[in-house]
């Protein structure tokens, strides 16, 4: 019986993932606005009722893709060793990892952060998100140690400044400069220059 239940769960997980993968392909090719339960069911090769078995509605599917994106972003962070790095080196590595995410998973990034179909957020939500809390804590420690500028920003403000800057670089690479083979190198140089601009200088 346990084997049968395990096999059933595997089959259900595979079906759910197939729906998510197909929805993501539709979004890439046609945009999230053209995703519907009916078109998704046709693309998967099942009935709309089957889709509803796994997802309450279209928004639940979009949210599943966003959550998949958060998981993939977390895996990228976990794949890097921050041990032995200076605080400023760790901050720069975090920026490079962030830029690596939209390069590897552009459709997830656009759905999470770069389209009108992205889930509405608030400043309060961003500041309380575990990923952003980690950035705020890192920035706060660097400011307290006198490494980052502490004369004009709170840790929350400087963390938001860092995020919006790196996000802007990512969006340029995904949109208007997506076909320019030179931009990824320029993006890394821009990240390096930005890091230097927020380092505290004496005198």
């Amino acid at each position: 019986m346990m084997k049968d239940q395990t096999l059933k769960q595997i089959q259900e997980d595979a079906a759910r993932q197939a729906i998510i993968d197909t929805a993501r392909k539709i979004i890439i090719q046609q945009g999230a606005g053209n995703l519907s339960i009916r078109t998704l069911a046709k693309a998967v090769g099942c009935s709309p009722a089957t889709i509803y078995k796994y997802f309450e509605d279209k928004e639940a599917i979009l949210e599943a893709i966003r959550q998949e994106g958060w998981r993939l972003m977390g895996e990228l962070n976990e794949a890097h060793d921050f041990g032995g790095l200076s605080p400023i080196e760790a901050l720069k590595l975090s920026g490079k990892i962030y830029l690596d995410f939209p390069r590897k998973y552009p459709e997830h990034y656009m759905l999470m952060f770069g389209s009108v179909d992205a889930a509405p957020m608030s400043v309060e939500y961003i500041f309380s998100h575990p990923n952003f809390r980690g950035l705020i804590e890192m920035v706060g420690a660097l400011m307290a140690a006198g490494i980052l500028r502490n004369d004009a920003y709170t840790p929350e403000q400087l963390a938001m400044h860092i995020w919006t800057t790196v996000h802007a670089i990512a969006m340029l690479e995904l949109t208007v400069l997506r076909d320019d083979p030179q931009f990824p190198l320029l993006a890394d140089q821009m990240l390096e220059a930005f890091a230097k601009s927020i380092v505290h200088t004496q005198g």
Side-chain angles (χ1 to χ4, degrees):
M1 181 64 70
M2 183 62 71
K3 289 184 178 179
D4 291 340
Q5 290 176 341
T6 301
L7 178 59
K8 181 180 179 181
Q9 186 61 56
I10 290 173
Q11 291 172 334
E12 290 182 348
D13 290 346
R16 188 176 188 277
Q17 190 61 50
I19 293 170
I20 293 174
D21 292 342
T22 303
R24 191 169 61 249
K25 290 177 182 177
I26 293 174
I27 292 171
I28 295 170
Q29 296 169 357
Q30 305 175 33
N34 290 310
L35 177 68
S36 69
I37 299 298
R38 186 173 297 278
T39 58
L40 178 56
K42 182 178 180 181
V44 173
C46 66
S47 68
T50 300
I51 303 296
Y52 284 118
K53 177 183 177 182
Y54 296 97
F55 297 97
E56 182 179 357
D57 51 24
K58 170 184 169 178
E59 180 54 40
I61 297 170
L62 294 178
E63 182 59 25
I65 298 174
R66 294 186 195 104
Q67 291 305 317
E68 185 178 61
W70 285 115
R71 177 179 60 78
L72 292 169
M73 181 180 283
E75 289 177 358
L76 282 180
N77 275 287
E78 292 171 3
H80 291 78
D81 184 8
F82 284 79
L85 296 179
S86 69
I88 195 65
E89 287 173 337
L91 182 62
K92 287 192 288 186
L93 177 58
S94 295
K96 290 180 179 179
I97 294 171
Y98 187 95
L99 288 180
D100 197 33
F101 176 67
R103 290 169 182 168
K104 291 185 175 180
Y105 308 105
E107 65 276 9
H108 288 90
Y109 189 87
M110 289 299 290
L111 188 56
M112 292 163 68
F113 302 116
S115 76
V116 295
D117 300 298
M121 294 185 183
S122 66
V123 172
E124 182 180 359
Y125 172 85
I126 293 171
F127 282 176
S128 63
H129 193 280
N131 292 46
F132 203 80
R133 286 305 313 171
L135 177 61
I136 291 173
E137 291 169 5
M138 182 187 298
V139 168
L142 289 170
M143 292 173 70
I147 297 172
L148 292 184
R149 292 183 56 185
N150 55 13
D151 56 340
Y153 304 101
T154 65
E156 290 79 7
Q157 291 170 335
L158 186 52
M160 180 64 83
H161 183 36
I162 292 169
W163 178 52
T164 54
T165 299
V166 180
H167 170 65
I169 295 173
M171 287 302 297
L172 284 173
E173 189 168 331
L174 287 176
T175 56
V176 294
L177 293 173
R178 63 185 179 276
D179 296 325
D180 189 335
Q182 300 181 58
F183 189 73
L185 176 59
L186 178 59
D188 290 340
Q189 294 170 341
M190 292 165 64
L191 186 63
E192 181 74 21
F194 174 68
K196 291 180 178 178
S197 75
I198 60 174
V199 171
H200 181 74
T201 55
Q202 299 291 335

